[in-house]
Amino acid sequence: MTIPALQTDRTRLTPRDWIAAGFRALVNGGAPALRVEPLARGLGTSKGSFYWHFADLAALKVQMVALWQRLAEEEITTTVLASGVEGRAALQALIGRISVAPPAAYGGAGVEPALRGWARTEPQVAQAVAAMDARRLAVLEGFFKQARHDDPAHAARLFYAATLGLMELRLTTGADMRAGLEVQLDALLP
């Protein structure tokens, strides 16, 4: 993912520094960890720095979700669609992109599972995740149609379910997402 570098001069934190801290907190402690004071402590600064950039905690959460949506769409889906490859080749390109964990500064491989956990408790996050799921499934269905699968909608759901499951297994068992998704693809498109 192409995520702008974090500010290294801690006297001048940026909104991006706070957003990254929010993602790390979410991954490490779930939605309850998204609180201003612990985030400020983790960044070695005061709560005043937070309020310089955000009106309140809700504003930070909105920005976190917006960044996740933008990166998931632009860095993965749009890039593969713009590459000009279709069908199986597009699915293989997609596997290459989604198998790479986000940077540790933004929570690493735990970001997507943590966001999905957060969606179970926060309606706005649930809406964003549902919209992203619909978009991803539509793109996958298109790729399976291009590959002439008999039931592209079903194949898309199975492939996406494998993707989400492998994201979780990568965290708990160290599973290799790329290898697992390639096996799934071979099963769906022999």
Side-chain angles (χ1 to χ4, degrees), residues 77 181 189:
T77 307
L181 289 174
L189 294 174

Side-chain angles (χ1 to χ4, degrees), residues 76-172:
I76 297 174
T77 307
T78 302
T79 301
V80 173
L81 289 169
S83 71
V85 296
E86 294 185 349
R88 186 183 190 100
L91 288 159
Q92 289 170 321
L94 184 66
I95 288 170
R97 301 216 42 101
I98 62 179
S99 296
V100 177
Y106 286 83
V111 168
E112 181 99 10
L115 241 137
R116 290 178 173 284
W118 186 19
R120 289 191 286 278
T121 62
E122 186 117 5
Q124 294 88 346
V125 180
Q127 288 174 347
V129 169
M132 184 61 67
D133 285 346
R135 171 75 172 131
R136 289 170 171 172
L137 284 166
V139 168
L140 286 169
E141 185 175 346
F143 291 156
F144 280 105
K145 267 185 195 166
Q146 292 168 349
R148 292 180 170 61
H149 193 281
D150 292 341
D151 189 350
H154 182 67
R157 286 190 303 276
L158 287 175
F159 187 85
Y160 194 46
T163 300
L164 297 177
L166 284 164
M167 284 180 181
E168 290 286 345
L169 287 174
R170 175 170 57 184
L171 292 175
T172 59

Side-chain angles (χ1 to χ4, degrees), residues 28-58:
N28 292 321
L34 293 174
R35 297 188 351 244
V36 176
E37 192 169 329
L39 291 175
R41 244 190 336 269
L43 289 170
T45 192
S46 69
K47 292 189 301 185
S49 171
F50 174 85
Y51 291 108
W52 178 259
H53 298 293
F54 301 97
D56 54 22
L57 190 56

